[in-house]
Amino acid sequence: MQHLLNFKSWTPQQITKIIDIAIDAKNNPKKWRNTLDGKTLCMIFQKTSTRTRVSFEVAMTQLGGHAIFLDWRATNFAIADIQDETRYLSRNVDVIMARLMKHADMKAMAEAATVPTINGCDDKYHPCQALADLMTIKEKKGKLAGVKLVYVGVHNNVCNSLIEACTKTGMRITTVTPIKHPPAHDPELIEDAKKTGLYETTLDVKKALKEADIVYTDTWVDMELFTDPKFKEEKEKRIKQMMPYQINAQLLKGSSALVMHDMPIHRGYEISPEIINAPNSIIFDQAENRLHSEKAILLTLLNKI
Ligand code: CP
């Protein structure tokens, strides 16, 4: 049984296969209809979501299965042992997807689960997002190997999963991350990426963007902290420090890079409004592809491919 918590135990072949299945699921939806007949996905959310919730639920519907949405605060996960609750869930559902605050809890859940468990984004990783991102890049560029992605923003969970996914599939990735979000700290992941020779980091954003095929950005403040009054001071500090790195027309002058953002977008902060709808923006294709890549994840973990 395989889980998807991050890409540490995933081979390059497994990652590229999931991406190819996702593209096939998008182009040939009828072929996959009813593949998950009678299967149930339980989706548990400790944090807010639009895309992750919608894409997984629609994926299950279109594959002939069923998805249950659980708001953590309305369940007994909130008052009981996470492993006891997960053991119970495994007796009734076929696969679990959870968006939790802490990766330690995600790991505890996977340890207790007797069905495949999917990380729907925690403080360290967002592997489902990275798979949709690479699917989108493969669609647009026809390949992954050799494509150069430049990530400009705060080094966070999305950044970690991109580094892992890109370096495992032969893409080149440069990060421009003046701020590192402490919970995302993963020195082992960075060491592994460095060994591939495909990863580098710099603060020279102009130079990094010169050879970029893709420029990618994300929120400067994690979703659970965005409106938290306790994080207000840190948020204002980050905005001041990150503004020179905003993805805007001036920064992208002379660049033909495709623009990506995993959404939700904070307009006027990490990206300027005119870039969101610019011809080179593939942000909404990327967001749509969450649906197709969630299908590929479910089909893979439930041994249907
Ligand atoms: N990108 C992403 O995970 O979107 P949601 O937070 O809306 O699920």
Side-chain angles (χ1 to χ4, degrees):
M1 184 183 64
Q2 190 169 26
H3 300 296
L4 177 58
L5 302 192
N6 52 39
F7 295 117
K8 286 186 185 184
S9 64
W10 284 66
T11 64
Q13 292 73 23
Q14 286 174 314
I15 297 171
T16 49
K17 191 169 176 194
I18 268 203
I19 291 161
D20 290 339
I21 295 290
I23 293 171
D24 191 55
K26 182 173 181 176
N27 294 333
N28 303 295
K30 283 187 187 158
K31 179 175 150 189
W32 300 98
R33 197 186 285 165
N34 301 326
T35 332
L36 297 187
D37 183 27
K39 299 288 182 194
T40 302
L41 164 71
C42 183
M43 312 185 292
I44 309 166
F45 286 89
Q46 239 180 4
K47 302 196 268 186
T48 56
S49 169
T50 307
R51 277 143 294 274
T52 304
R53 191 247 164 112
V54 170
S55 58
F56 270 103
E57 189 163 337
V58 175
M60 283 305 283
T61 303
Q62 292 186 358
L63 293 172
H66 176 67
I68 300 170
F69 168 77
L70 294 183
D71 178 340
W72 177 277
R73 291 160 303 178
T75 69
N76 285 330
F77 272 96
I79 58 165
D81 182 275
I82 191 168
Q83 295 201 315
D84 291 342
E85 292 296 282
T86 304
R87 274 180 71 185
Y88 152 67
L89 269 190
S90 303
R91 299 288 184 106
N92 276 194
V93 306
D94 302 284
V95 53
I96 298 168
M97 186 278 292
R99 169 166 286 189
L100 304 184
M101 296 283 187
K102 295 195 182 309
H103 185 65
D105 285 341
M106 196 64 238
K107 266 171 54 179
M109 187 175 256
E111 274 164 25
T114 56
V115 296
T117 306
I118 302 164
N119 181 355
C121 184
D122 60 30
D123 56 352
K124 278 198 184 307
Y125 312 107
H126 198 352
C128 300
Q129 183 63 52
L131 290 171
D133 299 340
L134 266 59
M135 174 196 170
T136 312
I137 293 165
K138 188 152 187 191
E139 275 187 326
K140 302 290 177 190
K141 294 285 178 188
K143 61 177 186 174
L144 293 176
V147 175
K148 181 174 177 182
L149 183 148
V150 176
Y151 176 92
V152 184
V154 170
H155 190 125
N156 60 8
N157 45 10
V158 168
C159 181
N160 274 342
S161 290
L162 276 174
I163 291 171
E164 276 195 307
C166 288
T167 54
K168 284 200 170 203
T169 55
M171 284 182 62
R172 295 189 293 145
I173 177 165
T174 299
T175 59
V176 183
T177 53
I179 295 173
K180 322 280 179 223
H181 189 52
H185 183 60
D186 184 345
E188 182 190 82
L189 180 147
I190 298 299
E191 276 315 303
D192 286 348
K194 277 183 184 161
K195 281 181 208 154
T196 65
L198 296 167
Y199 164 68
E200 58 183 33
T201 188
T202 177
L203 288 182
D204 190 341
V205 66
K206 275 282 182 196
K207 192 170 165 216
L209 287 176
K210 267 191 188 136
E211 290 180 6
D213 297 305
I214 311 283
V215 57
Y216 192 122
T217 191
D218 183 23
T219 182
W220 294 335
V221 177
D222 273 17
M223 62 186 83
E224 67 272 27
L225 301 170
F226 205 80
T227 53
D228 183 346
K230 292 202 284 291
F231 206 74
K232 190 169 179 281
E233 208 176 307
E234 172 66 17
K235 182 176 156 185
E236 278 163 14
K237 206 171 101 191
R238 283 191 182 190
I239 289 168
K240 203 166 160 205
Q241 193 176 343
M242 292 302 300
M243 252 328 169
Y245 299 89
Q246 183 192 62
I247 303 301
N248 56 34
Q250 196 193 341
L251 195 74
L252 294 185
K253 201 168 169 202
S255 169
S256 57
L258 299 176
V259 177
M260 299 181 78
H261 188 307
D262 56 304
M263 302 182 82
I265 296 167
H266 299 105
R267 287 171 167 256
Y269 292 96
E270 69 271 9
I271 190 165
S272 66
E274 81 275 11
I275 296 297
I276 297 163
N277 295 318
N280 275 6
S281 165
I282 55 170
I283 292 170
F284 288 91
D285 294 330
Q286 176 188 3
E288 178 201 324
N289 283 343
R290 287 296 301 273
L291 167 64
H292 312 295
S293 54
E294 315 308 20
K295 284 185 184 175
I297 293 166
L298 292 162
L299 291 164
T300 301
L301 296 185
L302 290 170
N303 299 316
K304 296 293 180 186
I305 55 171

